[in-house]
Amino acid sequence: MADEVKLPADSFEPLDKSKHLDSEKIAAPNLTFMQDAWRRLKKNKSAIIAMVILVIFFVLAFGSAFFSPHNPNAVNPQYANLPPKWPGLNINGVNGTLVQAGTRVNAYQAAGAGAGVHYWLGTDYLGRDMLSRILFGTRISLTVAVVATAVDLLIGVTFGLFSGWKGGWIDNFMQRVIEIIMSIPTLVVVVLLILILKPGMMSITLAIAFSSWTTMARLIRAQTLELKEQEYVLAAKTLGESSFKIAFKHLLPNLSSIIIIQTMFTIPSAIFFEAFLSFVGIGISAPQASLGTLLNDGQKNFQFLPYQMWYPAIVLSVIMIAFNIFADGLRDAFDPQTKE
């Protein structure tokens, strides 16, 4: 008979508590939904850059009272149409010179401006500081967009969530209401509001808010119809949870990506629409400035003084591009279906 194999006496003793198997270690820390979204957002470099750009624009725009070097509405006819001048730089385009009749001349000396007078982005046809007007104009454009987006969120999400959750004849009736509102051109709404209210921020904001929430409502309604048939929602209903609790606990977290991406698209759309209305002359009224009014004033002298139109156009373009890139990054970060 073969020799029996003798095992050590401690072969079947439990491991000491100080000894941990590598396979039992937690690979990643336990993160909340917002912490996990922020972690994935930080990996998207383009979205972070766009977010920083937007933060800078918001700080400069809403802090324009502190950052503006001049009064944006102060008229100085003697300094009209001066080019940009940056102190200490002798580079064409930012040294206060213009080309007139084939000769480059110092516009500031020709206007009798002192050595300490300089305008970073030049002046307009009334001698108003372009930098100050762009800062204040950006604030007005962003204010209109943010207010319109807040209404979009408040009405659109609530309307779409209620319509999709109830279903049946209530859903059909609410969708017909949306179709009626969407059939009315926004420009017609603006003109009607201008007849009732005076032209300005109020009429433009109400017009954008009246027509912009319908897209959000239809998107939320479509997703709600799909989500309410999921097992976790049916289980919550079986356990007796109220519709209000189900909406905030189960539906809204899964709708967050759609809400965020649509919100980020609504803001630049509202900015562009406000700029369009002000550009054609039915938006913000003088002496207030918005990006649209600045573009309208700049295009009149674009052939000879292109900087008056280029700077507002660059600001408008950068804001819209940054919002779109940031929206894509937020969609990828908040969407639970894209988890790594």
Side-chain angles (χ1 to χ4, degrees):
M1 187 174 182
D3 295 337
E4 294 182 357
V5 178
K6 294 183 179 181
L7 298 176
D10 59 348
S11 296
F12 299 99
E13 290 183 1
L15 291 174
D16 186 73
K17 291 183 179 181
S18 61
K19 299 178 181 180
H20 300 282
L21 298 177
D22 292 338
S23 60
E24 294 182 356
K25 291 182 178 179
I26 299 177
N30 188 17
L31 300 177
T32 63
F33 175 76
M34 294 300 297
Q35 290 174 338
D36 186 46
W38 173 244
R39 177 184 62 84
R40 283 183 281 140
L41 179 64
K42 289 191 296 185
K43 293 182 179 180
N44 192 332
K45 301 303 180 183
S46 59
I48 293 296
I49 294 175
M51 182 185 70
V52 172
I53 293 174
L54 290 176
V55 169
I56 293 174
F57 271 110
F58 269 90
V59 171
L60 292 177
F62 289 97
S64 54
F66 303 99
F67 297 111
S68 298
H70 302 277
N71 186 337
N73 297 323
V75 178
N76 298 293
Q78 68 273 23
Y79 296 152
N81 295 324
L82 291 180
K85 181 180 180 180
W86 297 4
L89 284 181
N90 190 21
I91 302 174
N92 293 337
V94 293
N95 60 358
T97 61
L98 285 174
V99 177
Q100 296 180 352
T103 304
R104 182 168 293 276
V105 298
N106 191 321
Y108 283 76
Q109 291 182 357
V117 176
H118 62 273
Y119 294 93
W120 292 91
L121 300 183
T123 60
D124 64 1
Y125 67 101
L126 292 177
R128 295 173 295 190
D129 179 39
M130 286 292 297
L131 175 58
S132 301
R133 290 183 64 77
I134 288 176
L135 291 177
F136 275 84
T138 304
R139 183 180 69 178
I140 291 178
S141 297
L142 290 177
T143 301
V144 172
V146 169
V147 172
T149 302
V151 176
D152 187 2
L153 280 174
L154 181 63
I155 300 178
V157 174
T158 305
F159 195 96
L161 199 60
F162 185 82
S163 177
W165 180 257
K166 288 297 183 180
W169 68 269
I170 296 179
D171 180 37
N172 290 331
F173 174 77
M174 297 179 74
Q175 293 309 302
R176 300 296 83 76
V177 173
I178 289 180
E179 291 173 359
I180 293 174
I181 294 176
M182 294 184 69
S183 65
I184 303 175
T186 307
L187 193 58
V188 174
V189 177
V190 174
V191 174
L192 291 177
L193 288 174
I194 289 176
L195 294 177
I196 300 173
L197 306 172
K198 62 179 182 179
M201 291 180 58
M202 180 64 69
S203 58
I204 294 178
T205 303
L206 290 177
I208 297 175
F210 178 79
S211 57
S212 64
W213 66 268
T214 54
T215 302
M216 174 73 79
R218 299 189 73 172
L219 290 173
I220 296 299
R221 177 251 181 188
Q223 284 297 112
T224 303
L225 289 175
E226 179 181 350
L227 291 175
K228 74 177 185 178
E229 302 298 332
Q230 298 295 320
E231 289 80 0
Y232 59 88
V233 176
L234 297 177
K237 293 173 64 177
T238 305
L239 293 174
E241 289 191 1
S242 64
S243 299
F244 184 83
K245 188 175 181 180
I246 292 175
F248 278 88
K249 185 178 179 181
H250 300 289
L251 296 181
L252 283 180
N254 289 279
L255 293 171
S256 61
S257 62
I258 296 178
I259 294 174
I260 291 170
I261 190 65
Q262 183 60 29
T263 298
M264 289 302 158
F265 279 126
T266 301
I267 293 177
S269 298
I271 293 174
F272 184 79
F273 187 66
E274 182 278 326
F276 164 74
L277 294 177
S278 299
F279 183 80
V280 298
I282 59 175
I284 303 298
S285 57
Q288 288 183 318
S290 72
L291 294 177
T293 58
L294 293 174
L295 288 172
N296 185 27
D297 294 339
Q299 60 91 21
K300 299 174 182 177
N301 298 322
F302 181 74
Q303 184 176 0
F304 305 101
L305 303 169
Y307 68 89
Q308 293 184 359
M309 185 175 179
W310 274 119
Y311 292 128
I314 290 173
V315 171
L316 179 62
S317 301
V318 170
I319 290 176
M320 296 187 66
I321 293 172
F323 265 115
N324 288 324
I325 295 176
F326 186 50
D328 290 336
L330 287 177
R331 178 193 59 191
D332 297 337
F334 280 91
D335 192 350
Q337 298 178 357
T338 61
K339 282 189 176 181
E340 301 168 355

